[in-house]
Structures are given as structure tokens and as C-alpha cells.
Amino acid sequence: MGNHGDLDARVSAAQNRKTPPAVLHELASDSSAQVRAAVAGNPKAPAEALRPLTRDRDRKVRGAVAKNPAASQGNLLRLLDDTDRWIRWAVATNPSCDARIRHKMATAKDKELRGLAAEMKDLEPDLAALLLEDVSPEVRERLAGHTQDPEVITALLKDRTVRVRKGVAVNKHTTPEQRSILAQDYAPEVRAALVRAVELEESDLQALVKDRSVEVRRSLATSDVTPPHIREALKNDPDEAVASDARRY
């Protein structure tokens, strides 16, 4: 079946979930990249048919294996070493990622892979602790915006880089106590991001209405989560831009 017969028929057989594994195995070595890509994306393709496709010269073929939920952990680990960054990043979207894959991502040289690991919902505490110390502020920022681990959030509140604390400010999993700390952050960008993203306690809101930064008060005036009585108070703000934003909203 490999290299003869109608191309459309071979592609169709390669895509079909009912095609027998032995036939898919044969189609995996087809001369057409289109056929091989169809096998690579077939959720019923056996691991041994997918294995040679992780080394395929065509990036579309390797990309299809990377996204295939049926790909074995061995095949996905192999693709994390791919020379093409788009293939490596596609592995991160695969629902079959397990602890070994997350570990390899979190310790990769590729900053984007570490960032994608940082955004994962079920990230192991030891990996979160590792990424907490990442040399890249961008990776720490992505961890800050996505982690649900209260201890990791507490540690990130002390990060010296403003963009990392800004990441924590938009995280919906912060506690009221953690939000209070952010409401007093010395960087106006952090306070502005906070008022745009999450609901705050009354005492924090009252302090932010009088915030020394116009940017923070403007963000408060136009935020979807600002309570009506706080917006009402901002209509009399000494800064005309803040007052008119509060009125317009």
C-alpha cells in the first residue's frame, strides 16, 4: 500500500480510526508526507507506528505526533528534544503530558518550555519550587499568574522583579491577605494590575481610592471588578482624567 494507489485513498485510510494497526504501521513509511502526517495525528495509531514519525524529516509530521493524545510518553519525551521549537512547544499542549514530561520541560534550556511548564495546572510542588528560582523573570511571571499553590504565591510576593509581582496581582487564586500585600506594593504597575484583575477588601479599596498614582486610580475607575460606591467616590478625583473615566464608566 506504501507508495502506490491513489493519494487521497491513502490519506483517508491513514486518518481513519478503524484502519487496522498493521496498515497504519505500513502507511507510516509512505513516501507522501501528507499520508505520514495523517498517521501521525490518528489517535488510534500504535506507538510503534508513531515512533519513526518523531524523527520524520517533515515538521508537519512531527508536529502531528506532538499533538496526538495517543502518543506514548517515550515519543513525547523524544519530541521535547526536537530542533524545531514549535514542535517542542506543541508537546506542552498534549493532554497526555505526565510528570516526567513536566520535569523535562521545567528543567529545559528552552525558556519557553519552562514558561509553558510554569503555566500548567497540575504542576508538582517540587517543580513549582524549582521554577520559583528560575533565572528568567518571564518564567517566574508566568508561574505567578497561574499557580494555585498558596506557598508559591507567598514566595512570589517577595520577588524583586516588578513584572513577577504583577503576575501575582492578576492571579485569581490569591487570598484576601495576599491581595492586601499587593495593594500596598511599592510599584504602581502592580497595584494597577491588581485593581483591574481581582476583587478587593473594603479597607484596601478605600486606601486605593486615595492612591498617590494617577495610573492606579484610573485603573480603579475603569475596572470591571470595582464596586459602584468606589467608582462614585472617584468621580470627585482631583485628577480630571480619573474623574471623567469614573463618570463615563
Side-chain angles (χ1 to χ4, degrees):
M1 200 165 188
N3 302 333
H4 50 80
D6 181 52
L7 176 64
D8 289 343
R10 299 199 316 273
V11 169
S12 184
Q15 284 171 335
N16 194 328
R17 293 175 185 222
K18 294 188 176 136
T19 300
V23 177
L24 288 173
H25 201 286
E26 195 186 330
L27 288 165
S29 56
D30 196 278
S31 61
S32 162
Q34 216 182 324
V35 175
R36 299 196 306 277
V39 175
N42 189 328
K44 293 293 181 189
E48 52 280 12
L50 294 176
R51 194 169 300 119
L53 298 178
T54 62
R55 297 272 186 252
D56 200 276
R57 64 185 177 277
D58 190 293
R59 70 190 290 253
K60 280 200 183 110
V61 175
R62 303 195 311 278
V65 181
K67 291 181 184 140
N68 188 336
S72 69
Q73 302 304 322
N75 283 336
L76 292 176
L77 284 166
R78 212 166 285 129
L79 287 164
L80 280 179
D81 290 323
D82 200 280
T83 51
D84 187 316
R85 59 189 180 160
W86 297 104
I87 308 287
R88 299 195 298 269
W89 302 347
V91 174
T93 66
N94 194 307
S96 301
C97 279
D98 71 351
R100 276 184 312 163
I101 288 166
R102 286 192 289 273
H103 184 270
K104 186 162 181 173
M105 286 172 64
T107 54
K109 278 200 182 86
D110 180 351
K111 180 178 77 173
E112 180 61 21
L113 267 185
R114 302 198 309 276
L116 287 164
E119 291 180 349
M120 287 185 160
K121 203 166 112 216
D122 304 313
L123 193 65
E124 289 72 9
D126 61 321
L127 295 183
L130 191 70
L131 293 166
L132 197 53
E133 305 293 331
D134 200 278
V135 293
S136 162
E138 187 193 323
V139 171
R140 303 198 307 277
E141 179 189 6
R142 289 167 77 168
L143 179 68
H146 290 78
T147 184
Q148 299 186 21
D149 186 323
E151 287 177 27
V152 173
I153 292 173
T154 298
L156 287 162
L157 286 173
K158 301 185 187 91
D159 197 290
R160 284 207 294 273
T161 307
V162 169
R163 68 184 287 185
V164 177
R165 301 197 306 281
K166 219 170 136 180
V168 187
V170 300
N171 188 324
K172 304 277 193 270
H173 302 286
T174 46
T175 63
E177 293 72 33
Q178 288 165 338
R179 290 175 186 187
S180 274
I181 293 167
L182 289 160
Q184 294 162 53
D185 194 281
Y186 73 80
E189 305 97 297
V190 175
R191 305 194 302 276
L194 179 76
V195 300
R196 283 194 297 268
V198 294
E199 292 177 3
L200 298 165
E201 300 282 298
E202 183 64 23
S203 56
D204 295 324
L205 289 166
Q206 290 298 343
L208 290 160
V209 164
K210 303 181 191 81
D211 198 280
R212 64 186 178 279
S213 161
V214 171
E215 184 202 346
V216 174
R217 302 198 311 275
R218 278 196 86 167
S219 296
L220 194 58
T222 56
S223 169
D224 287 339
V225 290
T226 297
H229 71 285
I230 294 293
R231 212 182 320 270
E232 195 60 43
L234 287 165
K235 286 179 184 175
N236 305 315
D237 195 272
D239 185 281
E240 193 35 57
V242 177
S244 88
D245 277 346
R247 286 194 291 270
R248 195 165 51 242
Y249 207 95

